[in-house]
Amino acid sequence: MDTNENSTEIDEGLYSRQLYVLGHEAMKRMKNSKVLISGMQGLGVEIAKNIVLGGVKSVTVHDEGNAEWNDLSSQFYLTEDDIGKNRAEASEQHLAELNSYVPVSSYTRKLTEDFLYQFQVVVLTSSSLEEQLQIGDFCHRSHVKFIVADTKGLFGQLFCDFGEEFIVTDLTSEEPQHAIVAWITKDNPGQVTCLDEVVHGFHSGDYVTFSGVQGMTELNNCEPIKVEVNGPYSFSICDTSHFGDYEKGGMVTEAKMPQKLMFKPFGEALKEPMYQITDFGKMDRHGTLHLAFQALHQFVREYGRFPKPWGRDDAERLVVAANKLSEEYPLILNEEPLNEELVRKLAYVATGNLSPINAFIGGVAAQEVMKACTGKFMPVNQWIYFDALECLPEENEESLLTGETYQPRACRYDGQIVIFGADFQEKLKRQKYFLVGAGAIGCELMKNFAMIGLGAGEGGSIIVTDMDTIERSNLNRQFLFRPSDVTKMKSQTAAAAVRKMNSSVRITAHENRVGPETEDIYNQDFFENLNGVANALDNVETRNYVDSRCVLYHKPLLESGTLGTKGNVQVVVPHLTESYRSSGDPSEKSIPICTLRNFPNAIEHTLQWARDEFEGLFKQPAENVNKYFKDRAFIDHAMALQEGQALEILEGVYKSLDTDKPGSWADCVAWARRHWQTRYNNNVRQLLHNFPPEQVTSSGVPFWSGSKRCPHPLEFDPNNPLHMDYIVAAANLHAENYLIPGSRDRAEIQEVLLSVDVPPFTPKSGVTIHTSDAEMEAAGSSAESECLAELKELLSSQKNTLLEMQPIDFEKDDDTNLHMDFIVAASNLRAENYDIPAADRHKSKLIAGRIIPAIATTTAAIVGLVCLELYKVVQGHRPRNAFRNGFINLAVPFFGFSEPMRAAKQRYRDKEWTLWDHINVQGIKPNGEEMTLAEFLDYIKEKHDLEITTVICEAWNVYAPHMSQETREKRLSQRLSEIVTMLSKKKIGEHVKSLKFEIDFKTEEDEEAVDLPIVFYQIR
């Protein structure tokens, strides 16, 4: 076995999103791992694709067989032209193109022990039980990690053996918990109390370390200490009775401790299986499926083929074989009877080959390969069984057992037809789907759509839209893109790639954002022509918008998302389930303004402060200066805002045009140096003048305690690399604002710094510094009004000096633009002010850039689950209990599935309704004229017995009780479209066929106020 431990540097530009999942050390271990994947059908190529993208040392793909028609329903690197060619050789070049760092080779001969010995991980797919036993035994003896993965129709199987002493360095994908210490007792054991602002999050048995503790300094930088949790804000530790007295301060942080695991070899685990639960509603199926898969191997060995699709006789043969095995190994079923119907179902669909099943099992299996290579995250223990029988059509089983429609017909969809039938295949091909997003999830969806034949026939279509271009960091997981595609449009490139996978797919690429501004494109006609929508988005705003359109036009929505090793799937079905917005994603917690400005206690605070600095120095002032010169009413518009906001805007404009305006590069350096002094010295000295280090509160508690860390000012040192990092970045960005050529020559900049005049600073009395956001909001200041008046006068005289500035948009992924250089330096200098541990560039980019950690394995698995729900949606008329929302965490690993929530029912008068119901009104009368408002109100009264008091269209009041009598009477005689046109001050577009109104009604004395459905008012 190759034990070469040499590692090269990690390409952070390529692997950045995956690095935030695995970390540098795990990635280095991956780069020293050779992996063999045997079997290049749909499952094998899925695993290989994910592993090549992941960045192992090398991948060898093995297959002794040639491509067949059945392969094409899921093997996305084989086409009709490859029928009869060796699968491994036909796939090799496609896989090699995924990642230039990972050599890919093919092997077509029988696997031998001498050949296997070179690999760190061996994966078998589409293998015989005899081969699994033989190779599994060799791998266990030879300390080679061993994985078996298999899919049969709607069923999946996975096995892992990582040896008898496998070390896991991190059991979960979670960041270490941390808390601020409030008090520590001198006791045995010592009791630690944390601030009660946030639950500490530790569990009994966890290990922690301490830092920044004053007084009881023995705890600082000590070995990890085991904790026993007493409550949400306290826990006990070791004997502290001989330590110094606790004074104040301190941070306690969870320490990730390595854990040793022992795996049984394959042969032993076959007889004494341990299962990883994939569906808590199907826990009773594991034993039966464990025996059924073995019986299937026996069947193939005996008959030289798989059971015939929906063949009754073959199914009964498989049941007999499974029953014999259950008698031979009674402990596997734990004295429970064999689920014979489940065994029959396996026989019926065993010849099937489904892309979604392969995507799910392939994603999970590939993550296990990464665990085997790295020791990062908890491996599967040791067997997984999965089925998606809910996807089977709800037809009479007798018709399935006798129907010719389920027989293969030498076409690329044979692997699907033998499960769902040719009629369903034709229905899939006629579907019209709208895919929003062509990123990681979008690429995987398009691949699966092409494999299953969605929209690939007469009358069918897929429309994909994405307004983004391809960046290098996308290549690690958005597998349809290549290095030569960087800067090209995602949607166009992805569409071209999937056409190569299936030339019949009818896909059209758009480059539009989906939102109110494109409703002339994605209008009522567009949505009504669709069969469904799939989201592949990374922002909640657009998810909510697409969801609202699907609810409005009664279209199914397939919603999904990933975050590192976590992923979720939600299926939204008209009139059956709740919508995405019914529950929605929780909003992000914001950091209090006063914490950011004066009292940071974590690196997240200093990084957010640095991001705000970037926007407030290099973007917003420049944008406002340009608006100031272009818009004569700019000052008046600013003055209409809240005083604090108006002051910030106008002060920024004035400084940009006067005090901060440079005339040369040297002026930019001087500005950066003086700004450094203000931020990291003067402001801190003023803060300490207001609140001296020894100050106590009225209750006798030290002011600088708990979450408030006492800062200290920094003294500028041109020989300090961090100080110079700030000056270089800030000066160049300031110069860029004013279109002045900059320089990165540090020696030259240090020479300029020698002549910079830094004004002396003395802290002032009477300066107000708020200690909480509530205090800040309660305080008003007449000084702000005076400053605003003065700024207005000063700026009115600046109009004669025309200046075009260059605003800078923050871009985290360009390492040459100095954006992250500024963020890292600004944040770490502030962290030094407050004795907060600094963050490296990698961590800073994650937090400041609000990067979503991502890895190809999770995306593949989640999209597999999405497409299983797609089968059910296309079948139509399925009960709610047939659908599955899902949540997975491949790190733990955890799999949870549940029925979608029912759409909540509401009532008005004697009518029941859900979010899917509308009050439909035909606004055009038989004579061709549109209703007036009065006629609309009469119609609602007559048809729904509601006396309408309020009519609202978007943000405009069409009719409301607070209106004057004159206005109300005037509007009653107007057509509704006229009123909306008047209020919106724009003509209703020709693409708009209907208007949406929200209405309220007059309630009776004993009647509760209730919501009413949206009114769908047709005008065309």
Side-chain angles (χ1 to χ4, degrees):
M1 186 170 62
D2 189 345
T3 57
N4 176 21
E5 291 299 321
N6 294 330
S7 62
T8 57
E9 288 299 310
I10 305 297
D11 185 340
E12 292 190 5
L14 176 64
Y15 293 115
S16 64
R17 300 329 187 243
Q18 181 174 294
L19 275 167
Y20 293 120
V21 181
L22 297 179
H24 282 81
E25 288 307 310
M27 279 294 298
K28 287 177 181 177
R29 288 193 287 271
M30 283 242 296
K31 288 179 72 67
N32 287 312
S33 299
K34 291 183 175 182
V35 179
L36 169 72
I37 301 167
S38 176
M40 276 297 105
Q41 293 175 306
L43 177 59
V45 78
E46 183 68 48
I47 298 170
K49 177 257 292 180
N50 295 328
I51 295 306
V52 173
L53 289 171
V56 295
K57 184 173 185 178
S58 68
V59 170
T60 300
V61 293
H62 166 258
D63 202 310
E64 297 175 60
N66 296 331
E68 302 171 356
W69 282 109
N70 185 274
D71 297 326
L72 300 191
S73 59
S74 67
Q75 220 287 22
F76 44 88
Y77 286 147
L78 297 178
T79 67
E80 289 87 341
D81 293 339
D82 294 313
I83 300 296
K85 297 178 183 177
N86 180 272
R87 297 186 190 96
E89 291 179 338
S91 306
E92 177 185 348
Q93 183 57 37
H94 296 288
L95 290 166
E97 291 172 358
L98 291 170
N99 191 340
S100 61
Y101 289 107
V102 181
V104 177
S105 60
S106 59
Y107 187 73
T108 61
R109 298 195 296 274
K110 186 175 178 62
L111 297 176
T112 64
E113 291 186 359
D114 286 344
F115 181 74
L116 293 170
Y117 197 73
Q118 64 182 299
F119 300 102
Q120 279 70 50
V121 185
V122 170
V123 183
L124 300 185
T125 72
S126 310
S127 56
S128 68
L129 184 59
E130 292 72 27
E131 190 176 29
Q132 294 168 8
L133 285 163
Q134 177 191 342
I135 294 178
D137 176 66
F138 164 79
C139 288
H140 192 84
R141 285 187 284 108
S142 306
H143 309 293
V144 176
K145 314 301 187 297
F146 178 62
I147 295 173
V148 173
D150 204 358
T151 58
K152 294 290 181 282
L154 288 163
F155 295 84
Q157 176 195 53
L158 183 65
F159 170 80
C160 296
D161 169 18
F162 297 167
E164 296 182 7
E165 293 188 353
F166 183 72
I167 304 298
V168 180
T169 57
D170 179 5
L171 300 178
T172 72
S173 60
E174 306 302 323
E175 284 291 309
Q177 299 282 347
H178 59 268
I180 298 172
V181 176
W183 191 256
I184 306 175
T185 65
K186 288 183 67 172
D187 211 341
N188 186 13
Q191 304 296 317
V192 180
T193 304
C194 301
L195 285 186
D196 59 5
E197 295 175 358
V198 181
V199 173
H200 58 59
F202 302 126
H203 299 91
S204 293
D206 286 349
Y207 285 77
V208 299
T209 58
F210 290 84
S211 61
V213 176
Q214 296 184 36
M216 196 177 285
T217 55
E218 295 88 344
L219 287 174
N220 292 331
N221 304 314
C222 65
E223 290 297 312
I225 301 170
K226 193 174 183 179
V227 307
E228 188 69 32
V229 172
N230 304 322
Y233 309 107
S234 65
F235 54 87
S236 58
I237 53 173
C238 60
D239 182 358
T240 60
S241 58
H242 303 295
F243 292 174
D245 291 336
Y246 176 79
E247 295 174 6
K248 65 177 181 178
M251 181 75 72
V252 55
T253 304
E254 177 188 7
K256 300 262 187 175
M257 304 299 289
Q259 183 170 326
K260 184 186 293 185
L261 303 178
M262 191 278 286
F263 290 80
K264 297 176 183 177
F266 183 84
E268 190 178 326
L270 195 65
K271 298 173 183 177
E272 300 172 358
M274 293 285 291
Y275 306 112
Q276 191 84 44
I277 298 170
T278 56
D279 190 331
F280 288 90
K282 299 177 179 179
M283 291 171 60
D284 58 344
R285 297 185 181 184
H286 293 151
T288 291
L289 288 176
H290 189 69
L291 294 171
F293 266 80
Q294 293 179 59
L296 192 59
H297 282 293
Q298 288 184 9
F299 185 100
V300 173
R301 188 169 63 247
E302 183 175 349
Y303 295 98
R305 60 173 175 81
F306 286 104
K308 294 177 181 177
W310 297 96
R312 193 195 310 270
D313 292 342
D314 281 354
E316 294 309 317
R317 292 186 182 101
L318 196 67
V319 169
V320 170
N323 272 315
K324 285 182 180 178
L325 285 169
S326 70
E327 293 170 5
E328 190 175 346
Y329 303 105
L331 292 180
I332 288 178
L333 289 178
N334 216 4
E335 299 184 3
E336 293 291 323
L338 184 79
N339 184 338
E340 294 185 356
E341 189 54 36
L342 189 62
V343 179
R344 291 187 185 95
K345 286 287 190 345
L346 175 61
Y348 294 154
V349 303
T351 54
N353 186 2
L354 298 180
S355 181
I357 291 286
N358 286 329
F360 175 68
I361 297 296
V364 177
Q367 189 66 55
E368 296 306 304
V369 173
M370 292 185 181
K371 293 174 187 178
C373 296
T374 65
K376 185 87 170 182
F377 309 142
M378 179 63 83
V380 163
N381 182 28
Q382 282 186 263
W383 292 93
I384 274 183
Y385 286 97
F386 175 80
D387 76 76
L389 290 178
E390 303 82 17
C391 294
L392 286 175
E394 293 183 303
E395 298 177 25
N396 184 323
E397 193 167 290
E398 195 64 32
S399 67
L400 299 178
L401 296 172
T402 58
E404 284 297 315
T405 184
Y406 292 86
Q407 300 308 308
R409 49 204 63 206
C411 78
R412 69 171 300 122
Y413 306 114
D414 275 356
Q416 196 162 252
I417 288 172
V418 296
I419 297 175
F420 299 116
D423 293 342
F424 179 68
Q425 186 62 53
E426 291 305 310
K427 189 173 184 181
L428 274 172
K429 289 159 72 173
R430 292 193 299 270
Q431 295 294 297
K432 298 182 180 69
Y433 257 74
F434 184 33
L435 173 57
V436 188
I441 289 176
C443 284
E444 291 287 342
L445 280 170
M446 279 187 271
K447 175 256 287 183
N448 278 276
F449 289 173
M451 293 297 97
I452 70 175
L454 186 77
E458 190 72 32
S461 66
I462 299 168
I463 294 174
V464 57
T465 188
D466 196 309
M467 59 189 293
D468 286 345
T469 56
I470 299 163
E471 299 175 0
R472 189 163 180 268
S473 63
N474 300 149
L475 305 180
N476 173 237
R477 64 204 181 282
Q478 299 176 20
F479 86 106
L480 297 180
F481 308 140
R482 302 291 175 266
S484 60
D485 296 324
V486 172
T487 73
K488 295 179 183 177
M489 297 304 299
K490 286 186 176 181
S491 57
Q492 298 285 355
T493 307
V498 295
R499 287 190 198 102
K500 293 179 181 177
M501 294 177 175
N502 181 354
S503 59
S504 299
V505 71
R506 303 184 177 207
I507 187 165
T508 303
H510 291 184
E511 299 168 6
N512 306 314
R513 172 181 164 82
V514 179
E517 66 271 30
T518 54
E519 285 183 5
D520 58 327
I521 301 169
Y522 307 119
N523 52 30
Q524 184 172 339
D525 283 344
F526 177 84
F527 274 93
E528 288 181 345
N529 193 44
L530 295 173
N531 295 107
V533 179
N535 269 348
L537 295 161
D538 60 1
N539 71 89
V540 174
E541 179 187 357
T542 310
R543 280 184 169 123
N544 283 332
Y545 176 81
V546 175
D547 178 73
S548 71
R549 304 302 280 179
C550 289
V551 170
L552 182 63
Y553 298 116
H554 296 175
K555 298 300 173 184
L557 172 65
L558 298 166
E559 173 61 60
S560 60
T562 68
L563 177 64
T565 58
K566 300 173 185 175
N568 69 281
V569 177
Q570 180 181 2
V571 56
V572 177
V573 184
H575 303 288
L576 195 64
T577 74
E578 67 178 10
S579 73
Y580 169 77
R581 290 174 302 154
S582 300
S583 51
D585 290 327
S587 56
E588 292 184 18
K589 291 182 180 178
S590 59
I591 304 169
I593 294 172
C594 285
T595 299
L596 290 175
R597 287 183 178 174
N598 300 305
F599 308 112
N601 59 61
I603 197 67
E604 288 80 4
H605 300 160
T606 65
L607 281 163
Q608 182 59 56
W609 178 88
R611 267 302 307 268
D612 293 344
E613 275 278 282
F614 187 98
E615 299 293 317
L617 292 174
F618 309 121
K619 182 180 180 183
Q620 291 162 358
E623 288 180 336
N624 289 328
V625 164
N626 294 341
K627 290 177 185 176
Y628 165 74
F629 284 114
K630 291 175 184 175
D631 182 0
R632 293 187 177 185
F634 174 79
I635 296 177
D636 294 331
H637 291 157
M639 295 288 285
L641 301 171
Q642 291 183 345
E643 282 193 345
Q645 190 179 357
L647 184 62
E648 184 179 339
I649 290 172
L650 296 184
E651 194 172 46
V653 172
Y654 177 72
K655 283 184 176 181
S656 297
L657 296 175
D658 194 289
T659 55
D660 290 349
K661 182 181 176 183
S664 66
W665 164 240
D667 289 344
C668 296
V669 175
W671 172 87
R673 172 65 184 89
R674 286 191 284 268
H675 195 75
W676 189 102
Q677 191 72 17
T678 300
R679 286 293 188 251
Y680 303 111
N681 183 284
N682 300 354
N683 289 355
V684 174
R685 288 165 61 194
Q686 181 66 56
L687 182 62
L688 292 172
H689 177 79
N690 283 42
F691 307 108
E694 66 279 0
Q695 180 164 324
V696 296
T697 65
S698 57
S699 58
V701 177
F703 178 85
W704 294 106
S705 62
S707 62
K708 291 186 176 68
R709 303 174 75 102
C710 185
H712 63 274
L714 304 183
E715 297 298 332
F716 183 77
D717 179 2
N719 296 314
N720 185 315
L722 184 60
H723 296 196
M724 285 301 296
D725 287 347
Y726 182 92
I727 299 298
V728 172
N732 275 280
L733 292 168
H734 191 61
E736 187 178 339
N737 276 150
Y738 291 90
L739 306 177
I740 294 172
S743 169
R744 304 189 187 193
D745 186 327
R746 294 196 172 215
E748 175 194 312
I749 294 171
Q750 285 175 325
E751 191 68 29
V752 175
L753 286 171
L754 294 174
S755 59
V756 174
D757 177 42
V758 179
F761 174 79
T762 304
K764 301 178 182 63
S765 297
V767 175
T768 301
I769 297 177
H770 300 297
T771 60
S772 70
D773 285 10
E775 179 187 307
M776 181 177 63
E777 289 170 10
S781 174
S782 59
E784 286 186 353
S785 299
E786 294 173 11
C787 285
L788 276 172
E790 184 181 350
L791 281 167
K792 182 177 181 180
E793 186 175 338
L794 287 168
L795 285 171
S796 297
S797 63
Q798 291 277 355
K799 286 279 188 179
N800 297 326
T801 311
L802 190 63
L803 174 68
E804 178 78 20
M805 290 187 67
Q806 178 69 49
I808 302 175
D809 290 312
F810 177 68
E811 172 49 60
K812 60 188 176 294
D813 286 321
D814 182 352
D815 288 334
T816 66
N817 61 14
L818 294 175
H819 296 191
M820 278 308 304
D821 298 73
F822 176 83
I823 296 292
V824 173
S827 171
N828 284 339
L829 285 166
R830 188 162 175 81
E832 187 178 343
N833 276 139
Y834 287 86
D835 295 313
I836 297 169
D840 61 18
R841 187 185 185 93
H842 182 66
K843 183 175 181 180
S844 298
K845 184 188 285 191
L846 170 69
I847 299 170
R850 300 181 180 92
I851 289 174
I852 300 173
I855 193 166
T857 50
T858 312
T859 307
I862 279 296
V863 169
L865 295 176
V866 170
C867 291
L868 291 176
E869 298 310 303
L870 174 62
Y871 284 142
K872 305 167 193 176
V873 169
V874 173
Q875 287 167 9
H877 309 295
R878 300 298 304 273
R880 188 168 56 89
N881 63 10
F883 294 95
R884 292 288 183 274
N885 288 347
F887 172 80
I888 66 173
N889 184 347
L890 297 184
V892 182
F894 173 83
F895 307 89
F897 298 95
S898 61
E899 293 178 16
M901 294 290 289
R902 191 190 311 274
K905 293 181 179 179
Q906 303 184 64
R907 296 186 69 87
Y908 70 94
R909 298 288 159 87
D910 60 342
K911 296 181 174 66
E912 192 173 71
W913 66 284
T914 73
L915 62 95
W916 296 101
D917 295 307
H918 308 144
I919 296 175
N920 292 304
V921 178
Q922 176 51 260
I924 306 301
K925 298 182 292 187
N927 64 6
E929 295 181 358
E930 186 189 340
M931 282 183 178
T932 61
L933 174 58
E935 289 172 326
F936 172 78
L937 300 181
D938 290 342
Y939 176 88
I940 298 294
K941 174 67 176 173
E942 178 187 347
K943 296 291 185 182
H944 298 275
D945 191 26
L946 297 171
E947 187 175 334
I948 299 303
T949 58
T950 305
V951 180
I952 298 172
C953 182
E954 296 184 21
W956 304 296
N957 285 317
V958 175
Y959 186 69
H962 67 264
M963 291 176 175
S964 67
Q965 185 69 21
E966 180 183 356
T967 300
R968 285 159 62 90
E969 289 181 359
K970 180 181 178 182
R971 291 194 179 174
L972 286 170
S973 62
Q974 292 179 297
R975 296 193 294 271
L976 274 85
S977 62
E978 288 180 355
I979 300 172
V980 171
T981 299
M982 175 193 68
L983 294 173
S984 65
K985 297 178 182 177
K986 61 181 180 182
K987 186 179 178 182
I988 297 173
E990 290 296 322
H991 64 278
V992 178
K993 289 189 168 184
S994 57
L995 300 173
K996 288 188 300 177
F997 293 115
E998 296 176 52
I999 59 175
D1000 199 2
F1001 67 104
K1002 184 178 181 181
T1003 57
E1004 305 294 337
E1005 285 188 14
D1006 59 344
E1007 190 176 19
E1008 291 184 12
V1010 295
D1011 291 332
L1012 293 173
I1014 292 289
V1015 174
F1016 207 55
Y1017 179 80
Q1018 294 284 137
I1019 59 173
R1020 292 190 176 93

